[in-house]
Amino acid sequence: MRKAVKTKEMNNAELILSGEGRIYHLNIHAEDIAPTILLVGDPQRVPVVSAHFDKVEFTAHKREFVTHTGYLGGKRISVVSTGIGPDNIDIVLNELDALFNIDFKQRAPKEVHTPLTFIRLGTSGSLQADIPVDSIVLSAFGLGMDNMLHSYKDSPKVRERAMEEAFISHTQWLMDKGHPYIVKGSEALLEKLYTPAVFKGITGTAPGFYAPQGRKLRLAPQDEQLNEKLASYTFEGHRITNMEMETAAIYGLSRLLGHQALSMNAIIANRPLGTFSADPGKAVEKLIQYALSIVTNDK
């Protein structure tokens, strides 16, 4: 464990608590959450995950943020819904970190840092024709096409700058959209969760679902060849495998806050082939079972 850096007291508008001392958006106390946290986007997926627990000891629900905490195989685990997008990740990861690493009475960081483990269980679209629907992708890196992480002063310290510059050059990236960032996931978690049954690569994180992911309804994307450029990018053997809306933000904040994070996605669409899973729920259930069988191996 490392020593926290001393800072000035956080005022009521910075560290926002409910009248009962709960963290503002998640609406939970520190004792309500475990240090191993599964992150899902959809609030309705939380009970689907916790149905696998041997026991659920706590539940909470506020807005799109649902929390269940319980035990599986003797290990205490929480599952929390984030909603969609990097902005929601900014809320959830900061508030989960605050529950463990900020003294709410003193309104200052605790002297001893508590590291957390975040594992995202999400859904995603494949950018590679050879990664079929209903498969699982582990994210070795997160590619942020949003701007959230740039709001944090120390963000350059956790970014893969050479990969970023190669990506900008390859895609002829329009810098009006902001500087893309790339952050590595937890190598320890990747080693633990990877098997030959799954794929791994770079996961693109978009700030929206339609034009930011190359979709065209009534409005044309700024770059109609975006997905083809993403799919053809490689760097030192790494390729962009899939695209969603949370992974890079999770990786960036986890690295800055001193936590371990890995993203796992059930592939429910294959963008180059134009195919969609016949049973997305089954694909998600496969992902949940795969993750839980490995996560609970160490108590």
Side-chain angles (χ1 to χ4, degrees):
M1 297 204 177
R2 65 180 185 178
K3 294 283 186 177
V5 177
K6 295 280 188 179
T7 60
K8 67 177 183 179
E9 178 180 305
M10 303 164 192
N11 65 40
N12 290 340
E14 291 177 316
L15 175 62
I16 305 173
L17 306 176
S18 72
E20 298 175 329
R22 296 185 178 94
I23 196 70
Y24 183 61
H25 294 92
L26 299 183
N27 196 37
I28 57 177
H29 291 110
E31 59 266 27
D32 301 329
I33 198 83
T36 296
I37 303 165
L38 306 176
L39 301 173
V40 299
D42 186 353
Q44 295 184 3
R45 195 174 299 150
V46 173
V48 174
V49 176
S50 68
H52 293 270
F53 293 0
D54 300 322
K55 174 185 177 182
V56 175
E57 65 177 14
F58 172 80
T59 66
H61 183 186
K62 184 181 179 183
R63 301 188 186 186
E64 63 265 59
F65 308 116
V66 176
T67 301
H68 287 189
T69 297
Y71 289 86
L72 178 59
K75 186 180 181 72
R76 192 168 187 250
I77 304 176
S78 292
V79 53
V80 178
S81 62
T82 64
I84 299 174
D87 50 346
N88 273 23
I89 295 301
D90 182 61
I91 292 170
V92 173
L93 261 72
N94 274 294
E95 293 197 358
L96 289 172
D97 173 79
L99 289 167
F100 286 88
N101 291 302
I102 294 177
D103 184 323
F104 286 2
K105 292 183 178 179
Q106 298 297 322
R107 292 187 162 270
K110 294 180 179 178
E111 292 188 0
V112 178
H113 173 267
T114 299
L116 307 177
T117 297
F118 296 112
I119 299 175
R120 165 168 154 77
L121 304 178
T123 56
S124 182
S126 169
L127 292 171
Q128 303 292 342
D130 66 313
I131 301 179
V133 295
D134 303 327
S135 60
I136 295 172
V137 169
L138 273 61
S139 308
F141 297 87
L143 160 65
M145 293 177 281
D146 63 288
N147 292 306
M148 185 276 293
L149 196 68
H150 297 308
S151 296
Y152 291 91
K153 181 178 180 179
D154 288 336
S155 65
K157 296 179 181 179
V158 302
R159 290 163 46 197
E160 304 290 329
R161 304 304 292 270
M163 293 182 77
E164 293 174 4
E165 294 307 315
F167 174 79
I168 291 168
S169 176
H170 175 80
T171 58
Q172 298 179 305
W173 188 260
L174 179 66
M175 298 307 290
D176 285 354
K177 297 193 293 184
H179 197 296
Y181 62 91
I182 299 178
V183 183
K184 182 183 289 188
S186 166
E187 292 179 324
L189 289 176
L190 183 64
E191 181 178 355
K192 179 178 179 179
L193 289 162
Y194 176 76
T195 71
V198 302
F199 296 86
K200 62 180 176 179
I202 304 169
T203 293
T205 295
F209 186 76
Y210 289 97
Q213 294 189 37
R215 291 183 173 92
K216 181 178 180 180
L217 298 183
R218 292 183 60 234
L219 298 175
Q222 176 270 326
D223 185 350
E224 297 196 27
Q225 283 74 51
L226 174 65
N227 287 5
E228 290 79 4
K229 292 176 180 179
L230 294 174
S232 60
Y233 168 80
T234 60
F235 187 89
E236 296 181 352
H238 301 286
R239 63 175 179 165
I240 301 176
T241 48
N242 59 311
M243 183 155 50
E244 42 83 275
M245 296 178 64
E246 289 82 28
T247 292
I250 292 170
Y251 284 9
L253 289 175
S254 294
R255 290 282 300 277
L256 288 173
L257 291 166
H259 305 308
Q260 300 289 314
L262 191 74
S263 180
M264 309 174 64
N265 279 277
I267 298 300
I268 61 172
N270 184 291
R271 298 296 301 278
L273 298 181
T275 55
F276 195 84
S277 174
D279 192 344
K282 184 177 179 180
V284 170
E285 180 63 23
K286 173 184 172 183
L287 171 65
I288 293 169
Q289 292 186 15
Y290 179 93
L292 290 178
S293 68
I294 298 174
V295 168
T296 54
N297 280 341
D298 61 327
K299 307 299 190 292

